[in-house]
Amino acid sequence: LKVQVKEIRESQKISQAELARRLGVSPAYISRIENGIQPMSLAIACGIADVLYCSLDELTGRKVVKIDDMDNS
């Protein structure tokens, strides 16, 4: 699962330290998430999405797949 936290955070000019402060976690924890070392819990993912004003789909890089496309497989 490729996480887009760093890209979205940087586009909004929010530091790791600021994101961590708003979530009540350490900057090192945010760094580990951004580097793919630390998996995110759903609670943290929702918190990050709230702080960065993005959807969980955006945060995880999920692409929308139409149901019709899935039926034709």
Side-chain angles (χ1 to χ4, degrees), residues 11-66:
S11 76
Q12 296 185 21
K13 298 181 177 21
I14 296 175
S15 68
Q16 282 184 345
E18 179 60 18
L19 179 58
R21 183 189 67 77
R22 291 185 191 182
L23 294 171
V25 298
S26 72
Y29 182 75
I30 299 299
S31 177
R32 289 193 305 272
I33 289 172
E34 290 182 350
N35 289 303
I37 298 166
Q38 175 72 49
M40 287 186 291
S41 68
L42 182 56
I44 289 294
C46 289
I48 291 171
D50 287 347
V51 171
L52 298 179
Y53 302 104
C54 67
S55 69
L56 290 175
D57 285 344
E58 266 185 287
L59 194 63
T60 59
R62 181 179 176 269
K63 304 293 183 217
V64 176
V65 176
K66 292 181 185 177

